[in-house]
């Protein structure tokens, strides 16, 4: 499902205009910029991704109907729409995934970056979940959350081979929820399309 379809669904569920929700949905799907495959969902389509949305956008937005909507709820709906109604944890994605042998956790002294790097591990106890932060995607997230200076600092510590594309090459989608969007939401979107034609 693309970002605009998520925005349309948010309008249906929360009111306002699709543009009210674009930044949040665009962020959750930003991992597609690093791997254009359903595997990208492992990065932010989870409770940790919802936590990052709140860090980036605040606890709530006010839509054009002047309604206060929790960012948590918008992000959770995005996950449910893409994952058969399921909101996974990092463990749901990474518990059975083995890190490549050449995976390196950067030894960085900056306390803010160190906390950022280890947060997926602290949220899941799965070392493999650290591919989110210890990769080129992690550099992107740091730029979004902490700014360019911190992102450039982290980039110095990330191996050029430590890309999401490389790290997820052996990652397997083994559960139906990882692949199939919500049927109810797809039906509604199709009905909207039929009405326009």
């Amino acid at each position: 499902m693309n970002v605009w379809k998520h925005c349309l669904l948010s309008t249906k569920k929360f009111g306002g205009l699709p543009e009210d929700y674009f930044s949040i949905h665009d962020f959750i799907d930003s991992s597609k910029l690093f791997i254009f495959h359903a595997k990208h969902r492992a990065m932010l389509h989870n409770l940790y991704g919802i936590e990052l949305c709140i860090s980036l956008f605040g606890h709530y937005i006010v839509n054009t109907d002047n309604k206060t909507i929790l960012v948590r709820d918008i992000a959770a709906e995005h996950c449910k729409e893409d994952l058969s109604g399921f909101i996974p944890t990092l463990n749901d994605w990474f518990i059975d995934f083995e890190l490549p042998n050449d995976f390196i956790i950067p030894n960085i002294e900056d306390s803010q970056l160190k906390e950022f790097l280890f947060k997926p591990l602290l949220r899941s106890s799965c070392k493999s979940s650290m591919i989110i932060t210890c990769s080129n995607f992690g550099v992107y997230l740091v730029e979004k959350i902490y700014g360019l200076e911190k992102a450039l600092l982290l980039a110095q510590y990330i191996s050029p081979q430590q890309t999401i594309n490389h790290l997820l090459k052996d990652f397997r989608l083994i559960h139906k929820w990882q692949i199939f969007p919500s049927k109810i939401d797809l039906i509604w979107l199709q009905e909207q399309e039929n009405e326009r034609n």
Side-chain angles (χ1 to χ4, degrees):
M1 197 174 302
N2 66 41
V3 170
W4 189 249
K5 289 180 180 176
H6 285 292
C7 292
L8 293 173
L9 287 164
S10 288
T11 301
K12 173 193 172 222
K13 295 169 184 176
F14 304 114
L17 295 172
E19 293 83 356
D20 296 336
Y21 309 100
F22 188 86
S23 296
I24 295 167
H25 293 302
D26 191 48
F27 175 71
I28 296 172
D29 274 347
S30 62
S31 48
K32 283 183 187 175
L33 300 171
F34 295 82
I35 182 168
F36 202 78
H37 185 281
K39 294 177 186 182
H40 87 91
R41 294 175 179 155
M43 299 298 98
L44 296 176
H45 287 56
N46 51 58
L47 293 175
Y48 174 67
I50 294 170
E51 180 181 350
L52 287 180
C53 280
I54 294 166
S55 294
L56 193 56
F57 299 104
H59 286 281
Y60 63 89
I61 64 163
V62 177
N63 69 17
T64 52
D65 288 342
N66 208 30
K67 287 176 58 180
T68 300
I69 313 296
L70 292 176
V71 167
R72 176 198 69 201
D73 293 345
I74 299 164
E77 285 300 317
H78 184 119
C79 293
K80 288 166 43 175
E81 290 160 8
D82 275 347
L83 304 173
S84 300
F86 188 52
I87 305 171
T89 64
L90 288 172
N91 285 32
D92 293 319
W93 284 109
F94 292 105
I95 195 76
D96 296 319
F97 179 61
E98 294 291 325
L99 284 169
N101 290 331
D102 58 352
F103 184 79
I104 297 168
I105 298 170
N107 185 11
I108 194 162
E109 292 186 19
D110 183 285
S111 60
Q112 195 174 41
L113 286 179
K114 184 174 274 197
E115 180 184 341
F116 171 80
L117 291 176
F118 282 93
K119 196 168 275 189
L121 176 65
L122 296 173
R123 297 292 181 264
S124 68
S125 299
C126 291
K127 188 176 178 183
S128 57
S129 70
M130 291 181 71
I131 69 169
I132 298 169
T133 53
C134 298
S135 63
N136 61 334
F137 186 61
V139 173
Y140 166 82
L141 291 175
V142 167
E143 181 187 8
K144 286 285 194 190
I145 297 168
Y146 301 111
L148 180 61
E149 187 176 321
K150 293 279 187 178
L152 289 171
L153 177 59
L154 178 58
Q156 295 174 19
Y157 289 87
I158 299 293
S159 162
Q161 289 76 37
Q162 219 147 284
T163 66
I164 289 300
N165 234 354
H166 171 71
L167 293 168
L168 289 180
K169 71 178 187 257
D170 295 325
F171 188 81
R172 299 286 174 250
L173 301 176
I174 56 174
H175 304 288
K176 286 183 180 180
W177 61 262
Q178 295 171 321
I179 301 166
F180 297 108
S182 162
K183 288 181 185 177
I184 294 167
D185 291 323
L186 286 177
I187 290 168
W188 183 84
L189 287 166
Q190 187 60 53
E191 288 170 355
Q192 299 309 300
E193 186 67 28
N194 292 343
E195 285 178 19
R196 280 199 302 266
N197 296 331

